[in-house]
Amino acid sequence: MSAVPLHLMTHPEPLVIARLDSGEEPSWEWSRGPFASLTRSADETSIVCLEDVVPVGVTTEGPFLGVEVAGPLAFEAVGVMAEILTPLVPAGISVLAMSTFDTDWVLVPAAEITTAMEVWRKAGLIVTSTTLSGRSGE
């Protein structure tokens, strides 16, 4: 756990996780927005992206809201995800956790974001909201 409280920044844009068949490629439009991630396995291609860029008929789950850990984080940092996820367990909030080179992200079901923010604040984390214009606020 960190000596300085983690700072979590919520993003307002609705995200989904979309599933394509193995080897199927999304169009480049899927990569716009505050967060996008492409993951390939032998069985599927998964894309986390803005809800409004996914074509009709593609299997999705969501909407989620992205929560970014203020970074960059050191690769040696230990317990970051545990500090974020542990308080959500008693609240019954299931999330998708993802990492980038610089930081970590948690995708929270949109209907649960207010509860998640309250839980994190009670656990001592700093939580701010990022507006569509990119400014932070409480």
Side-chain angles (χ1 to χ4, degrees):
M1 304 286 176
S2 59
V4 176
L6 288 178
H7 178 185
L8 306 179
M9 301 175 294
T10 65
H11 292 265
E13 301 87 350
L15 301 169
V16 295
I17 183 166
R19 184 193 190 286
L20 300 176
D21 290 333
S22 178
E24 195 173 345
E25 292 291 324
S27 67
W28 67 269
E29 290 91 7
W30 293 38
S31 66
R32 66 180 176 82
F35 183 80
S37 181
L38 173 73
T39 305
R40 293 184 181 98
S41 73
D43 300 320
E44 64 171 308
T45 298
S46 292
I47 307 97
V48 173
C49 60
L50 290 172
E51 181 177 41
D52 64 359
V53 301
V54 180
V56 173
V58 173
T59 301
T60 63
E61 285 290 330
F64 298 94
L65 294 181
V67 180
E68 175 185 5
V69 180
L73 299 174
F75 272 95
E76 303 81 34
V78 175
V80 173
M81 279 297 182
E83 191 170 349
I84 295 166
L85 301 178
T86 300
L88 298 178
V89 174
I93 299 174
S94 177
V95 299
L96 296 172
M98 307 187 83
S99 296
T100 68
F101 190 90
D102 286 339
T103 194
D104 294 324
W105 284 73
V106 178
L107 305 182
V108 178
E112 301 285 349
I113 193 68
T114 300
T115 303
M117 291 170 69
E118 291 170 3
V119 166
W120 284 324
R121 285 183 177 129
K122 285 180 184 174
L125 282 69
I126 299 166
V127 183
T128 58
S129 299
T130 302
T131 63
L132 289 172
S133 65
R135 292 187 308 268
S136 254
E138 291 292 318

